[in-house]
Amino acid sequence: MGQTLTEKILDDHLVEGELEPGEEIGIEVDQVLTQDTTGTLVWLQFEALELDDVQTEVAAQYCDHQTYQFDFKNTDDHRFLRSAAGKFGAHFSRPGNGICHNVHKENFAAPGKTMLGSDSHTPTPGGLGELAIGAGGLDVAVAMGGGAYYIDMPEVVNVRLEGELPEWATAKDVILELLRRLSVKGGVGKIFEYTGPGVESLSVPERTTITNMGTELGATSSIFPTDEKTEEYLEAVGRPEDYEAVAPDEDAEYHDEIVVDLSELEPLIAEPSMPDNVVPVSEVEGTDVDQVMIGSCTNGAYEDILPAAKMLEDREINKTTEMIVAPGSKQASEMLAREGWTAEMMAAGVNFSEATCGACIGNGHVPASDSVSLRTFNRNFEGRSGIEDDSVYLCSPEVATAAALKGEIVDPRDLADELGDLEDPGFELGDNYVGVSSSDLITPDEAVDDELIKGPNIGDVPLKDPLPADLEGDVLLKMPDNITTDHISPANADVLMYRSNIPKLSEFTLTRVDETFPERALENDGGLLLAGENYGQGSSREHAALCPMYLGIDAVLAQSFARIHKANLFNFGIVPLTIDEDTYEDIDQGDSVEIVDDVAEAVRTGQEDITIRINDDWEATANLDASEREREILADGGKLTHVKQQYDADD
Ligand code: F3S
């Protein structure tokens, strides 16, 4: 039986296990990526492991989430990151150089390689045939030290693309269509592999829009085969030598198949406040639009902004609508400027931002209260834009630009009919690529630091004691389904500046669900959390496990967990227990929960069914679904202690 492309790449990198869905495998990691909000902790953990240099082919530290330097804290963090990259041998991308996924795609992504990144949209380079997976920062720190990355072998799903996109339909509509069909949970435990005759009609930036937003499906990763378009792209960015032909075997067998006929797609839009609330644009036509934003790691490439620029040529945006373009990388900014498109868009009324995540996480360009913002981003979770009652829609650059011109949501096909001379600008790899700008990327050879520089806002990493025999505590918070990592550890500017100062950052834990939670947790000396389905969906941020750990949370009872967050719970010594719906309904906030078994023993010996006793009154069964390795990590009090013990033993 032939292999899928995913299986081929994993097979080439396999160090432990077998490629059977659900089985834990260990793989060798070729490249790692970190960004500024997760990177500080990654390097502090790397330091705590007492290793000398990074061991991967490429390690890259980007500064993109917090580039606005409101006071010394972000600047201190960036200086620390530069010093860590210099000391340990990583590439350092300076603030303003762009969003990690865009800059990584331009500079390092290569077919057939494996990549691990401490950001949830790490799978973006799948558009170039790289198998890239988002993970917690600690996993990234361990991979940088040459350690394997462990993951349950995902199911590989064939997404067969037929036909070609019609006018005004885009790559964004491909992924929105999948979200419409499958929901934000549809990809959990899966890798989406794109095949079929429709693939060759999509350029690399279009493919990376799709692989980027596979994360919103909950997918472990998404990947395309390579072809002439990949070769052409790598040539354009000045790395033709990185091209390699990678594809599945003709007789590859997939776990499942989804067919998308590109020719049947139309402009789509995700309504507030979930990326899977997808409807045809025509269904929401006429909604007034206050703000339009083009950018982010999903649609921030030069090829994403160019169509908007062409649509705006010799026109003006509506007077009641604000339009901001935030390029995904300085390369995109530079090319737009060199080709005169920046001036063209400015003349049309567009404001430009530096290349940054910025507004995607509520850092700048916060929408007005009770207003509508149309964005080309990948997420529209409530409150993410920086204001609680936001109304953020997600769409393609073409739909966003049409709305800026009209002042309301409009299907670009209808706007084209109305204006008479508006043409679908298409999507092309520009003729005048400038490759990549090197001045903002400091290679290990050019490093300017050889010692760590720690400012006052950078603290040590807290460690947890080994798991005790007895575990009991009060349920400090009962939460509904789909609690995101944004709920658990918010990422807005007021909070993110404390990402390397865990005691301070912990004061914001779950305050979006209950303002008094952190105080209660400290007063109570810790306890347990209770949640519905899909607990911890969203980003890979490990602070969402680290801060609860700091507050003394020993276990989370949930109906189900998001994959990366569950891994982070193991890594920080918090026991993730799955319960059924009836048990969830019957437990109330404030109830006391005792694990009846010797929990340390149960974890170490592989026991799956764990008896819990509620209010010393009734009992239920919870499930601990964990690999042998995850159990060892949990019992040792978390991964840092666990790995450190291994290194110490090796010495
Ligand atoms: Fe940045 Fe938003 Fe992407 S925070 S990495 S632009 S999802």
Side-chain angles (χ1 to χ4, degrees):
M1 186 181 85
Q3 286 185 308
T4 65
L5 173 54
T6 303
E7 287 167 338
K8 284 184 174 182
I9 297 176
L10 288 175
D11 220 3
D12 278 352
H13 293 81
L14 200 64
V15 293
E16 215 175 304
E18 286 182 23
L19 301 180
E20 289 295 321
E23 292 290 307
E24 190 178 70
I25 54 169
I27 56 165
E28 193 187 340
V29 176
D30 298 323
Q31 303 187 348
V32 298
L33 159 165
T34 74
Q35 36 92 336
D36 46 358
T37 57
T38 53
T40 42
L41 207 54
V42 169
W43 290 112
L44 289 169
Q45 288 163 341
F46 192 82
E47 184 195 19
L49 292 173
E50 297 175 356
L51 300 168
D52 292 335
D53 291 307
V54 297
Q55 302 293 316
T56 46
E57 290 172 15
V58 173
Q61 171 64 55
Y62 300 94
C63 298
D64 51 4
H65 282 59
Q66 281 286 41
T67 61
Y68 300 129
Q69 291 149 342
F70 301 112
D71 67 7
F72 73 93
K73 298 187 196 71
N74 292 332
T75 329
D76 267 18
D77 278 356
H78 292 150
R79 186 178 58 184
F80 168 69
L81 294 172
R82 190 195 67 200
S83 73
K87 178 174 165 62
F88 296 119
H91 295 265
F92 179 68
S93 175
R94 300 202 292 199
N97 192 37
I99 303 171
C100 53
H101 310 301
N102 301 59
V103 183
H104 201 87
K105 172 180 75 181
E106 291 157 5
N107 288 275
F108 302 113
K113 300 286 183 190
T114 54
M115 206 259 273
L116 202 64
S118 59
D119 188 275
S120 46
H121 291 90
T122 296
T124 307
L128 281 125
E130 177 165 285
L131 187 64
I133 299 176
L138 186 47
D139 285 326
V140 171
V142 171
M144 281 203 299
Y149 174 60
Y150 291 89
I151 187 175
D152 288 346
M153 176 64 196
E155 293 171 354
V156 185
V157 177
N158 181 7
V159 185
R160 192 173 162 77
L161 303 180
E162 310 272 6
E164 283 192 26
L165 288 167
E167 283 208 332
W168 296 106
T170 66
K172 187 64 161 272
D173 301 311
V174 177
I175 192 67
L176 288 176
E177 169 65 10
L178 287 170
L179 278 155
R180 189 186 68 76
R181 290 194 206 175
L182 306 175
S183 90
V184 289
K185 287 193 284 183
V188 175
K190 296 174 181 163
I191 290 182
F192 286 82
E193 203 171 296
Y194 290 82
T195 67
V199 166
E200 66 184 28
S201 68
L202 300 172
S203 70
V204 164
E206 287 179 296
R207 294 175 194 179
T208 54
T209 291
I210 295 169
T211 49
N212 171 279
M213 230 175 138
T215 298
E216 275 51 59
L217 291 165
T220 303
S221 193
S222 304
I223 192 165
F224 276 80
T226 58
D227 56 14
E228 276 171 22
K229 292 265 170 61
T230 325
E231 224 171 340
E232 192 187 327
Y233 179 84
L234 286 169
E235 180 97 28
V237 294
R239 296 189 289 122
E241 68 282 3
D242 284 346
Y243 180 73
E244 194 189 320
V246 297
D249 288 331
E250 297 252 319
D251 57 344
E253 280 193 17
Y254 291 87
H255 187 265
D256 202 356
E257 180 174 281
I258 300 165
V259 177
V260 179
D261 186 346
L262 300 177
S263 64
E264 285 181 1
L265 292 181
E266 59 177 319
L268 298 171
I269 194 163
E271 293 188 276
S273 292
M274 271 288 162
D276 59 1
N277 281 347
V278 176
V279 296
V281 173
S282 52
E283 268 188 31
V284 284
E285 263 186 339
T287 307
D288 287 341
V289 174
D290 303 85
Q291 185 192 58
V292 162
M293 290 210 65
I294 293 187
S296 89
C297 57
T298 314
N299 281 121
Y302 168 74
E303 296 83 354
D304 292 305
I305 303 169
L306 191 59
K310 289 182 177 172
M311 288 173 70
L312 293 172
E313 198 171 5
D314 299 325
R315 302 181 204 275
E316 279 185 22
I317 61 170
N318 192 281
K319 298 286 182 228
T320 57
T321 308
E322 181 193 29
M323 180 169 180
I324 301 121
V325 169
S329 68
K330 200 174 250 187
Q331 183 223 35
S333 305
E334 188 180 336
M335 285 167 58
L336 290 164
R338 281 177 190 265
E339 299 196 347
W341 290 111
T342 307
E344 198 66 53
M345 282 191 279
M346 281 180 164
V350 168
N351 288 329
F352 270 81
S353 152
E354 67 183 77
T356 177
C357 295
C360 179
I361 40 169
N363 291 343
H365 303 295
V366 176
S369 56
D370 197 20
S371 71
V372 166
S373 178
L374 242 67
R375 300 176 166 206
T376 66
F377 302 176
N378 47 35
R379 290 189 166 158
N380 58 349
F381 300 143
E382 195 180 315
R384 185 175 168 95
S385 69
I387 180 166
E388 280 301 325
D389 62 343
D390 56 9
S391 286
V392 175
Y393 291 72
L394 306 173
C395 59
S396 67
E398 285 81 348
V399 171
T401 309
L405 286 167
K406 177 94 173 160
E408 58 189 47
I409 297 178
V410 59
D411 187 319
R413 296 171 298 184
D414 292 340
L415 187 66
D417 285 347
E418 187 182 319
L419 296 180
D421 61 348
L422 182 69
E423 286 178 8
D424 179 358
F427 189 102
E428 60 191 82
L429 199 65
D431 292 335
N432 302 313
Y433 248 78
V434 292
V436 286
S437 302
S438 58
S439 59
D440 275 345
L441 192 66
I442 304 175
T443 65
D445 292 341
E446 298 165 333
V448 290
D449 310 278
D450 53 13
E451 286 307 322
L452 295 180
I453 307 173
K454 292 183 182 175
N457 193 40
I458 294 175
D460 289 333
V461 184
L463 294 174
K464 194 171 168 69
D465 291 332
L467 205 57
D470 304 319
L471 200 158
E472 70 173 302
D474 293 346
V475 173
L476 297 176
L477 193 59
K478 181 170 182 173
M479 296 169 275
D481 292 348
N482 294 324
I483 289 292
T484 68
T485 47
D486 273 343
H487 287 112
I488 306 170
S489 187
N492 52 39
D494 300 345
V495 178
L496 266 187
M497 63 175 72
Y498 298 115
R499 60 189 170 264
S500 325
N501 183 346
I502 303 307
K504 183 69 189 168
L505 189 69
S506 297
E507 291 174 15
F508 300 91
T509 309
L510 283 164
T511 48
R512 285 186 54 202
V513 183
D514 178 349
E515 275 185 13
T516 63
F517 170 74
E519 215 175 309
R520 198 163 62 247
L522 285 174
E523 268 170 20
N524 225 54
D525 207 10
L528 282 75
L529 294 173
L530 177 63
E533 298 276 8
N534 204 16
Y535 179 71
Q537 67 155 332
S539 81
S540 64
R541 115 183 28 131
E542 58 190 346
H543 292 98
L546 180 54
C547 290
M549 173 198 118
Y550 176 81
L551 293 172
I553 299 300
D554 290 315
V556 180
L557 306 174
Q559 284 176 252
S560 64
F561 292 89
R563 180 185 67 85
I564 298 179
H565 186 64
K566 188 176 175 192
N568 281 334
L569 291 175
F570 286 121
N571 285 345
F572 291 96
I574 297 176
V575 188
L577 292 173
T578 311
I579 50 171
D580 62 24
E581 193 180 348
D582 289 344
T583 308
Y584 169 81
E585 295 296 343
D586 290 344
I587 302 178
D588 292 321
Q589 186 165 313
D591 284 358
S592 85
V593 175
E594 179 195 357
I595 295 182
V596 176
D597 313 82
D598 174 332
V599 62
E601 174 81 5
V603 167
R604 283 199 192 276
T605 55
Q607 192 176 319
E608 289 185 0
D609 288 342
I610 308 278
T611 309
I612 54 174
R613 189 163 174 76
I614 296 95
N615 291 334
D616 209 9
D617 179 27
W618 58 280
E619 290 186 355
T621 302
N623 184 270
L624 178 63
D625 176 18
S627 68
E628 199 177 315
R629 205 184 45 80
E630 286 168 336
R631 287 171 180 275
E632 283 171 19
I633 289 171
L634 194 56
D636 283 348
K639 191 163 186 176
L640 201 54
T641 326
H642 174 74
V643 173
K644 205 163 178 312
Q645 277 177 9
Q646 287 184 328
Y647 284 126
D648 290 347
D650 290 346
D651 286 349

